[in-house]
Amino acid sequence: MASPLPAPLPARLGAALEEFRHHLEAERGLSRHTVRAYLGDVAALLGHAAATGATDPADLNVGTLRAWLAGQHGRGQARASLARRAAAARAFTSFAHARGLMPADPGPLLGMPRIPRRLPEVLRQDQVAAVLAAAAAGPSGNSGRDDRDGALALRDTAILELLYATGIRVSELCGLDLGDLDEGRRTVRVLGKGNRERTVPAGIPAVKAVAAWARSGRPVLVTPRSGHALFLGARGRRLDPRTARRVVHASLAAVPGTPDSGPHGLRHAAATHLLEGGADLRSVQEILGHASLTSTQIYTHVSIERLQSAYRQAHPRA
């Protein structure tokens, strides 16, 4: 049986939600995924408020927010989900107060559920090397579509090399255009979260792999719909993030004993290996495009944990 459709919001609450949408998309420049998640959470909050008699954003208070979250908790929502919804509620009330839609901002009075930070599983350097070597070797055998298969193999190798060399996100990789890679300086111009642009260094193997794709692989797949996209899908359009993720998962699965940590696993590996190699935390923060150093500091814990593990295994009096 299908779930009943949510009741339409009162006019002023609906208008506030639309203003919030415009704020997230046009002013904060958040990704479509983030905007969709925030709007879904805030729509649920406003629906709860409307069910209790609210018709205007000014009718919301900290009690409304707490009751809504308590209801979510009672339905068995995980701490991570509750924390995300609390963050969405705080973002909305801050926006509404700044626009004069609420006389006060109750968001800061709303407690944020504490969620334990799990350390990411990180590929070892030898595991990454094995994955990249296997990708460069390519599949064996001929299928009668050598040009097309060869082009896709060049693309997939370039994807893996660039993700590991730069630590960029899959969405950032798919958004790259021709000209964003500077072969001479060995840098990549990336448009990250919040439309923040940064320049990221890339190693020689990654630059060579991307150049080989652009020179010999991309022309095989290019169509009038390709535009300026650097990476293309099999039909010639800009590469979709889901396809890029499938490429990474398949490449990791092809090497026995390698954890299937996905594209973000390569990002984790890049950050951890940089720190293990002596890079300072601020530089890694800039490379990854983290707005806060707190997001980068988790990799110091990973590196220390690996160091302690190696010490316990190697030192006779550990």
Side-chain angles (χ1 to χ4, degrees):
M1 183 177 177
S3 300
L5 294 174
L9 294 172
R12 290 180 180 176
L13 292 180
L17 184 63
E18 283 304 308
E19 285 188 50
F20 186 55
R21 179 200 299 272
H22 182 268
H23 166 69
L24 296 176
E25 293 176 340
E27 297 175 22
R28 292 184 58 181
L30 299 181
S31 70
R32 285 181 295 175
H33 175 77
T34 303
V35 170
R36 186 166 59 248
Y38 267 49
L39 288 176
D41 291 337
V42 173
L45 166 63
L46 297 181
H48 164 82
T52 62
T55 60
D56 188 283
D59 296 332
L60 274 66
N61 54 46
V62 70
T64 310
L65 306 184
R66 287 173 177 164
W68 174 62
L69 284 176
Q72 301 286 318
H73 181 266
R75 285 191 283 275
Q77 291 293 333
R79 277 191 181 183
S81 297
L82 292 174
R84 189 199 72 201
R85 288 172 182 170
R90 287 162 63 109
F92 174 75
T93 59
S94 175
F95 157 81
H97 176 56
R99 294 296 171 89
L101 302 177
M102 298 179 69
D105 180 8
L109 302 176
L110 184 66
M112 296 286 281
R114 292 182 62 85
I115 53 175
R117 299 201 70 180
R118 293 182 299 172
L119 296 180
E121 185 176 23
V122 178
L123 299 170
R124 300 190 310 269
Q125 294 185 33
D126 64 298
Q127 291 174 326
V128 175
V131 170
L132 296 177
S140 58
N142 293 313
S143 62
R145 293 165 53 204
D146 292 337
D147 288 348
R148 195 172 191 79
D149 290 346
L152 291 173
L154 287 173
R155 182 203 65 183
D156 294 352
T157 300
I159 288 171
L160 293 165
E161 287 280 5
L162 196 60
L163 286 174
Y164 175 61
T166 61
I168 61 176
R169 304 173 179 93
V170 166
S171 59
E172 294 170 343
L173 176 132
C174 293
L176 292 176
D177 287 333
L178 294 168
D180 284 340
L181 175 70
D182 187 328
E183 292 187 48
R185 296 176 59 199
R186 298 206 298 271
T187 59
V188 183
R189 185 173 62 241
V190 178
L191 189 64
K193 288 186 175 181
N195 286 328
R196 291 189 296 269
E197 185 178 290
R198 69 187 190 279
T199 299
V200 181
I204 294 174
V207 171
K208 286 184 175 179
V210 176
W213 150 251
R215 182 176 59 253
S216 304
R218 188 180 184 277
V220 176
L221 302 180
V222 74
T223 72
R225 297 175 297 181
S226 300
H228 297 291
L230 174 58
F231 288 105
L232 304 177
R235 296 182 180 179
R237 293 181 178 177
R238 183 180 293 274
L239 183 66
D240 183 87
R242 288 172 296 183
T243 302
R245 292 188 183 96
R246 283 197 295 269
V247 167
V248 176
H249 283 296
S251 299
L252 293 173
V255 179
T258 301
D260 186 7
S261 52
H264 224 61
L266 291 179
R267 180 169 162 87
H268 291 322
T272 303
H273 297 167
L274 279 168
L275 288 169
E276 290 176 343
D280 65 275
L281 199 60
R282 283 287 181 188
S283 296
V284 176
Q285 178 192 2
E286 291 182 19
I287 289 171
L288 296 181
H290 284 157
S292 168
L293 191 62
T294 304
S295 301
T296 316
Q297 284 174 330
I298 189 171
Y299 298 108
T300 64
H301 302 315
V302 173
S303 297
I304 291 169
E305 191 173 78
R306 286 159 69 106
L307 180 63
Q308 289 174 333
S309 176
Y311 177 85
R312 286 192 295 268
Q313 292 179 23
H315 200 285
R317 297 179 68 85

